[in-house]
Amino acid sequence: MSDTILEVDDLVVDYGSGTSAHRAVDHVSFSVRRGSTFAIVGESGCGKSTIAKAVMRLLQPTSGRIVLDGTDLATLSEARLRPLRHRFQMVFQDPYGSLDPHLSARDIVAEPLRLKGVRSAQDRATEAARLIDRVGLPSTALDRRPHEFSGGQRQRIGIARALASSPDLLICDEATSALDVSVQAQVLELLREIQVDTGITYVVISHNLGVVQQISESVLVMKQGAVVEQGATAQVLTSPAEDYTRRLRRAALDPATMTGVKPRHVVRSLSLGATA
């Protein structure tokens, strides 16, 4: 088994065609080590969420390769892709809009189990209850619907739903951006605990350098669809090679752009070399 679980090679994604085409992702390449957390960071509109959707095959890449454990997902038909979908899942930014408002938490989490082939309704319900407990929600949550939960609780249900497929790769697309700082920290800690327990690999999409600093080992910095720089998170965020990354860091430390209270160790680590 290779140490690399995901390899994205020369990925291009265009929206539209002909003279009206917009290039959202421009020849992006990176690889993700199995069991690690890889972050993609940049301003809104830089293409990071488009990369996430391309990896998930929620959209068709224009060109390039997306190789998951030796299989190029970019070239597969939907029929050939379907049996592999349980191996890569996504937690979305909006913890309310991504959940079916008509289903209970139990049914939301059990649905991927049905698609995975678990035929027994009792087995699906039992596993859903285990996963609800795993993400820190009480058993009383099982029969409640999304509108009865807080934003952080809804995001925990989204994580439980993603875990129901037993994925090797979980993409978190701005999964904490809609949460307040204290709840955000709780969700990040939950993700860390799950990774320790299961060895799952994360790709985290974020514009928040504090989140990236806390959770990832490696980071890719993007601007206008292209890669600016990439490398170990500690190196890139404390001693960036490119002016764009330095400007992102300064913006993250600007009190006018801060929301909530950032953990002291995050502010301190981002502040290192701030005048570089």
Side-chain angles (χ1 to χ4, degrees):
M1 185 179 292
S2 170
D3 187 52
T4 298
I5 187 171
L6 176 68
E7 184 176 2
V8 174
D9 181 31
D10 207 26
L11 180 66
V12 174
V13 179
D14 293 333
Y15 290 121
S17 59
T19 57
S20 63
H22 167 67
R23 179 146 295 179
V25 176
D26 190 8
H27 298 282
V28 168
S29 298
F30 62 88
S31 61
V32 180
R33 184 171 54 84
R34 190 182 307 275
S36 71
T37 300
F38 182 89
I40 303 176
V41 67
E43 297 171 305
S44 295
C46 71
K48 57 188 186 294
S49 289
T50 299
I51 291 176
K53 291 173 184 175
V55 172
M56 286 296 300
R57 277 295 305 274
L58 298 177
L59 57 78
Q60 178 67 49
T62 303
S63 63
R65 299 192 311 144
I66 302 168
V67 181
L68 180 69
D69 263 347
T71 300
D72 187 359
L73 305 179
T75 62
L76 294 183
S77 66
E78 183 56 39
R80 294 181 60 199
L81 187 64
R82 193 172 299 115
L84 299 176
R85 282 201 175 275
H86 73 94
R87 297 194 58 200
F88 53 103
Q89 292 292 306
M90 192 167 185
V91 178
F92 295 89
Q93 177 177 0
D94 181 357
Y96 186 76
S98 62
L99 304 179
D100 189 328
H102 304 293
L103 296 181
S104 67
R106 187 202 319 269
D107 291 339
I108 288 170
V109 176
E111 180 66 8
L113 297 169
R114 184 185 66 79
L115 296 174
K116 194 179 175 182
V118 179
R119 296 185 178 183
S120 165
Q122 181 58 51
D123 288 347
R124 293 197 300 268
T126 299
E127 178 63 4
R130 185 190 72 81
L131 289 166
I132 288 289
D133 177 71
R134 179 65 189 85
V135 298
L137 292 175
S139 59
T140 54
L142 288 167
D143 295 315
R144 291 155 57 192
R145 286 173 170 71
H147 73 273
E148 300 177 75
F149 295 99
S150 68
Q153 290 172 325
R154 288 194 289 263
Q155 200 60 290
R156 289 171 184 266
I157 295 170
I159 293 169
R161 176 180 61 184
L163 293 176
S165 297
S166 302
D168 301 306
L169 176 69
L170 184 61
I171 298 178
C172 300
D173 186 11
E174 298 280 11
T176 62
S177 66
L179 309 176
D180 67 44
V181 174
S182 61
V183 177
Q184 183 179 98
Q186 293 169 13
V187 172
L188 292 176
E189 181 59 30
L190 171 63
L191 290 172
R192 273 193 292 263
E193 291 174 0
I194 290 169
Q195 189 172 59
V196 169
D197 290 346
T198 66
I200 195 171
T201 304
Y202 295 137
V203 173
V204 174
I205 310 297
S206 184
H207 66 276
N208 187 323
L209 295 188
V211 168
V212 169
Q213 180 77 19
Q214 287 182 74
I215 200 170
S216 69
E217 293 90 35
S218 302
V219 63
L220 176 80
V221 182
M222 291 191 63
K223 177 185 179 184
Q224 296 179 350
V227 176
V228 174
E229 64 178 303
Q230 62 177 303
T233 301
Q235 176 66 30
V236 170
L237 295 189
T238 59
S239 301
E242 300 297 328
D243 182 62
Y244 176 73
T245 310
R246 288 193 286 269
R247 286 190 280 115
L248 278 181
R249 185 183 59 188
R250 285 196 296 270
L253 294 170
D254 182 352
T257 65
M258 284 187 175
T259 57
V261 178
K262 296 187 184 304
R264 290 180 181 177
H265 74 279
V266 173
V267 174
R268 183 164 53 250
S269 61
L270 289 176
S271 297
L272 293 176
T275 58

